Amino acid sequence: MLLHEKLKNKKLILASQSPRRKQLLAEMGLQFEVIIKSVDESFSDDLKMQEVALYIARQKAEAFDHEIDNNTIVITADTIVCIDNMILNKPEDRNDAVRILQLLSGNKHTVITAVCLFSNEKEKEFFVATDVYFRPLSLEQINYYLDNYKPYDKAGSYGIQEWIGLVGLEKIVGSYHNVM
């Protein structure tokens, strides 16, 4: 039985503003509604990298606790970008985006996406980690990317499906869709 057939009597809520997450669910043939809740995304420094993404995805799901009926499944996710045990969040501004992209230039980093499926009956969590290797990027390339794509809403200051993925990506070990 296909996934969309299994879920045909369920109401799906995607708790994400990500256009890529919306696209992936739509391409899977799923019908869903987007509902966003404001959640504190701070976390303890004691957490391991994959635990950070899981913790934040869980926080997003638990914001719906006691607000959904037995026929509803909430889908939340969080993506973090890590290099040398440092989490690279969404850039604060252009200068921060330049700094982040210069850190990624010529280096390997890891993209971790955690997903939480939450209903009144149960909660399922999982994560995927993908290693991404960037070629060296010139300041001219970084500035061109920032001027034309404005990736200020993305962890790690880039979208792999955009221009920078074509010129900067050396190789990927793991799931492309995880990085996207």
Side-chain angles (χ1 to χ4, degrees):
M1 179 180 288
L2 297 174
L3 182 61
H4 68 276
E5 291 173 0
K6 287 182 182 181
L7 297 173
K8 69 180 176 186
N9 294 322
K10 296 286 185 182
K11 176 182 177 183
L12 297 180
I13 295 173
L14 174 62
S16 174
Q17 294 177 343
S18 165
R20 299 298 162 241
R21 291 186 180 123
K22 292 176 195 173
Q23 176 187 359
L24 290 171
L25 288 182
E27 288 177 356
M28 292 173 67
L30 299 176
Q31 299 293 317
F32 58 93
E33 178 181 359
V34 175
I35 300 176
I36 309 300
K37 299 242 182 211
S38 180
V39 174
D40 178 11
E41 294 189 20
S42 59
F43 53 88
S44 168
D45 292 336
D46 298 340
L47 296 177
K48 296 176 184 166
M49 297 297 166
Q50 68 272 16
E51 292 173 336
V52 169
L54 284 168
Y55 175 80
I56 295 171
R58 188 178 315 113
Q59 292 297 105
K60 291 175 182 179
E62 289 175 356
F64 288 85
D65 199 17
H66 305 297
E67 293 186 22
I68 56 175
D69 61 30
N70 290 336
N71 213 30
T72 302
I73 299 171
V74 177
I75 304 166
T76 64
D78 191 68
T79 298
I80 61 171
V81 175
C82 311
I83 188 168
D84 298 329
N85 291 319
M86 176 175 48
I87 295 175
L88 302 176
N89 295 313
K90 295 174 185 173
E92 295 175 12
D93 55 26
R94 183 185 180 88
N95 289 336
D96 195 34
V98 169
R99 178 190 67 81
I100 291 170
L101 290 171
Q102 287 177 325
L103 280 171
L104 299 178
S105 174
N107 289 307
K108 175 190 102 161
H109 62 279
T110 303
V111 177
I112 301 170
T113 299
V115 176
C116 182
L117 305 172
F118 181 82
S119 72
N120 283 339
E121 299 169 353
K122 61 183 171 179
E123 184 175 322
K124 173 78 174 163
E125 303 168 347
F126 59 92
F127 73 92
V128 176
T130 303
D131 289 332
V132 180
Y133 296 78
F134 266 20
R135 293 181 182 98
L137 299 168
S138 69
L139 186 55
E140 180 182 30
Q141 288 173 312
I142 290 171
N143 283 323
Y144 175 85
Y145 177 64
L146 294 176
D147 289 344
N148 291 283
Y149 294 89
K150 304 188 184 342
Y152 302 109
D153 63 337
K154 295 173 175 62
S157 301
Y158 78 93
I160 198 74
Q161 70 281 0
E162 297 171 340
W163 177 85
I164 202 162
L166 297 173
V167 299
L169 183 64
E170 181 178 322
K171 72 176 179 176
I172 189 169
V173 180
S175 170
Y176 175 83
H177 288 97
N178 173 43
V179 181
M180 186 177 87

